[in-house]
Amino acid sequence: MKTGKGTEIAYPRHIKNYVNFMTADQAARQTENPEWRIVPPFPITARNVAAFLKFETTRPKNNSDGEPILGTRLGYETIKQCISALENWRHTHEYEFKDDNEALWPLCEDARIRTYEANARTSKSERNADAQLWKAKGTTA
């Protein structure tokens, strides 16, 4: 985590969002299937992060009150920072999970994570077009 870059605030927020997603996702899966074995949010693994990024890359941005802003999506920089925050936590805590091979594998080396990051980068023009459409309809993004 680099000081003076805003990561001191952003990284914990990404970790909190990840934990909230994993908790809700696993509860929903167990509700649908009582035999479902809950997967904890920690250790952070590429499989869990890929599921989280599927959600993050499709959800709208939130305003300062935490309410979704219609017609928006998270940008490439936010997705990249999210991956960095999760990788930072994974790397910092990997000694706690030294017997879990998945927990030792860097996120950036996983094809699923690289694909979500690349797709977020290429969808920037699509997000801009969506914003223009919402603007034309009189909605601010």
Side-chain angles (χ1 to χ4, degrees):
M1 191 176 338
K2 296 180 182 178
T3 57
K5 294 277 208 175
T7 55
E8 301 91 358
I9 296 168
Y11 275 27
R13 182 181 68 240
H14 290 298
I15 300 300
K16 182 183 100 185
N17 290 346
Y18 165 77
V19 170
N20 290 344
F21 166 79
M22 285 296 296
T23 303
D25 178 67
Q26 293 300 304
R29 289 174 187 260
Q30 193 170 53
T31 298
E32 289 175 14
N33 176 6
E35 301 294 317
W36 180 262
R37 192 173 141 251
I38 298 274
V39 177
F42 300 109
I44 290 177
T45 63
R47 181 185 332 186
N48 292 351
V49 171
F52 177 59
L53 290 176
K54 181 178 181 181
F55 167 75
E56 283 288 275
T57 56
T58 58
R59 75 169 178 86
K61 293 179 184 180
N62 293 332
N63 64 21
S64 58
D65 296 326
E67 298 297 319
I69 304 170
L70 294 177
T72 65
R73 280 187 284 172
L74 298 182
Y76 167 67
E77 292 80 11
T78 303
I79 297 301
K80 188 174 175 181
Q81 185 181 60
C82 177
I83 294 167
S84 292
L86 293 166
E87 174 59 23
N88 178 271
W89 195 100
R90 187 209 62 78
H91 180 70
T92 302
H93 296 268
E94 70 183 354
Y95 71 91
E96 296 174 33
F97 306 101
K98 63 182 186 238
D99 296 329
D100 186 336
N101 288 335
E102 262 193 287
L104 303 176
W105 192 258
L107 299 178
C108 61
E109 292 183 18
D110 186 86
R112 294 167 291 195
I113 307 303
R114 288 194 312 264
T115 299
Y116 277 112
E117 187 174 3
N119 288 345
R121 184 181 314 118
T122 58
S123 70
K124 186 175 184 176
S125 60
E126 185 181 321
R127 282 192 321 278
N128 289 341
D130 287 349
Q132 291 301 319
L133 181 63
W134 282 94
K135 188 188 257 184
K137 290 180 179 181
T139 305
T140 59

